[in-house]
């Protein structure tokens, strides 16, 4: 059955800490550490409805599925990526819990009730579409990494309309857009509550930002969590990161 689910150029990668298998294709899309960190960052509700926006090949939603009985809806605009995600859902026998929708995230209310989502996860395009000099050659990566089909403002607006009161949005993003992210969240009634900066190595600048916001929440009580360092000086994963990838 496994081989029947694979297309040309694809492989299966496994996150051993929760036995989830993900269909990948380096020419099309492969999840990276930002997806793993995002899936571990927020408190996952035990039931209800979780939405994974900009889901790519479905990694974040599938990783989260092992920690909850909640229904999970993955939303991806690129048909090729959504198809990979759908086959990964079948590969993990999670079709009763996880659903994939291939559509623009602006249409999310066609699939979920207004103010009906408990947790929204999003690994969005990091770069503004005007940043043309660093655009990736692959069309798939271009859309995944640059704000061409969606942007930060749209994501926050969709969260405002679909999250329950006190529902949460968790995102991974770029530190250089931190102030813009805070402004956009607050403009859409989303109060930032937990923030963590991620560093490739000690002594290096942060290159990722994890942030969690609550709909209709108070602006008081925001926490900056301890820094998260990915690699030791010798290039190995730190103990914290190893625990995310491999069993104890």
């Amino acid at each position: 059955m496994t081989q029947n689910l694979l297309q040309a150029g694809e492989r299966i990668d496994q996150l051993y800490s929760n036995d989830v298998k993900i269909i990948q294709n380096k020419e099309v899309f492969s999840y990276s550490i930002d997806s793993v960190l995002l899936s571990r960052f927020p408190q996952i509700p035990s039931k209800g409805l979780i939405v994974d926006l900009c889901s790519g090949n479905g990694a974040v939603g599938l990783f989260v599925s092992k920690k909850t009985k909640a229904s999970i809806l993955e939303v991806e605009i690129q048909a090729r990526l959504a198809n990979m995600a759908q086959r990964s859902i079948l590969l993990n026998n999670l079709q009763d819990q996880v659903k994939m929708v291939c559509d623009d995230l602006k249409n999310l209310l066609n699939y979920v009730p207004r103010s009906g989502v408990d947790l929204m996860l999003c690994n969005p395009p990091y770069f503004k579409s005007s940043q043309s000099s660093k655009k990736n050659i692959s069309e798939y990566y271009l859309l995944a990494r640059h704000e061409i089909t969606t942007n930060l403002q749209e994501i926050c607006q969709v969260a405002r309309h679909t999250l329950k009161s006190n529902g949460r949005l968790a995102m991974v993003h770029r530190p250089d857009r931190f102030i813009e992210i805070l402004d956009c969240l607050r403009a859409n009634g989303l109060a930032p509550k937990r923030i963590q900066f991620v560093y490739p190595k000690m002594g290096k600048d942060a290159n990722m930002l994890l942030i969690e916001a609550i709909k209709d929440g108070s602006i008081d009580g925001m926490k900056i969590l301890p820094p998260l360092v990915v690699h030791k000086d010798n290039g190995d994963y730190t103990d914290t990161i190893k625990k995310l990838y491999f069993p104890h």
Side-chain angles (χ1 to χ4, degrees):
M1 175 183 172
T2 296
Q3 292 304 315
N4 293 339
L5 290 172
L6 291 179
Q7 296 181 4
E10 293 180 346
R11 67 181 191 272
I12 294 173
D13 286 349
Q14 183 167 1
L15 188 69
Y16 289 96
S17 58
N18 62 9
D19 292 329
V20 170
K21 300 179 178 69
I22 306 291
I23 295 173
Q24 309 252 70
N25 185 327
K26 66 179 181 180
E27 302 299 329
V28 178
F29 188 87
S30 296
Y31 78 82
S32 55
I33 192 168
D34 50 359
S35 296
V36 179
L37 294 179
L38 176 60
S39 71
R40 296 297 197 271
F41 181 62
Q43 181 179 348
I44 307 299
S46 60
K47 57 184 180 179
L49 176 59
I50 296 171
V51 172
D52 175 19
L53 291 185
C54 308
S55 66
N57 64 346
V60 175
L62 289 169
F63 295 156
V64 166
S65 70
K66 296 297 186 178
K67 303 174 71 176
T68 180
K69 299 296 185 185
S71 297
I72 298 171
L73 182 71
E74 301 189 322
V75 183
E76 171 54 49
I77 196 169
Q78 297 194 64
R80 179 73 175 86
L81 276 60
N83 178 262
M84 290 170 68
Q86 181 58 48
R87 286 181 284 121
S88 287
I89 292 169
L90 295 173
L91 180 64
N92 291 280
N93 196 30
L94 288 169
Q95 55 268 35
D96 290 339
Q97 181 185 12
V98 185
K99 308 295 182 187
M100 164 52 69
V101 168
C102 182
D103 201 348
D104 193 312
L105 60 81
K106 291 194 291 289
N107 300 323
L108 182 60
L109 281 172
N110 293 339
Y111 305 97
V112 303
R114 183 178 293 274
S115 302
V117 176
D118 296 276
L119 173 65
M120 182 172 289
L121 299 152
C122 189
N123 185 351
Y126 293 156
F127 304 105
K128 295 185 177 183
S129 59
S130 59
Q131 293 174 264
S132 57
S133 62
K134 295 185 179 179
K135 287 183 180 177
N136 195 286
I137 295 173
S138 162
E139 175 190 357
Y140 301 107
Y141 282 103
L142 181 67
L143 295 180
R145 291 175 176 171
H146 291 79
E147 293 184 331
I148 294 170
T149 60
T150 192
N151 56 47
L152 187 59
Q153 178 63 28
E154 278 188 357
I155 290 164
C156 291
Q157 287 175 345
V158 167
R160 181 184 72 202
H161 292 306
T162 57
L163 284 174
K164 294 178 178 178
S165 185
N166 292 320
R168 289 169 294 126
L169 168 66
M171 282 195 301
V172 58
H173 219 294
R174 297 275 297 183
D176 58 1
R177 298 187 67 182
F178 182 40
I179 301 303
E180 181 186 358
I181 292 166
L182 293 179
D183 289 345
C184 194
L185 289 170
R186 292 191 60 188
N188 286 280
L190 302 164
K193 286 294 186 182
R194 297 171 65 246
I195 295 160
Q196 187 170 39
F197 291 94
V198 182
Y199 298 81
K201 286 184 178 181
M202 288 290 291
K204 299 289 187 180
D205 291 344
N207 63 351
M208 276 187 280
L209 167 70
L210 294 159
I211 186 164
E212 184 178 31
I214 295 181
K215 180 181 174 181
D216 302 329
S218 165
I219 62 172
D220 297 332
M222 185 177 76
K223 292 183 179 179
I224 306 291
L225 302 179
L228 183 58
V229 180
V230 176
H231 295 285
K232 300 177 183 178
D233 287 341
N234 66 1
D236 291 345
Y237 281 139
T238 59
D239 292 345
T240 302
I241 300 300
K242 280 182 182 177
K243 290 176 182 177
L244 299 182
Y245 277 92
F246 303 103
H248 301 300

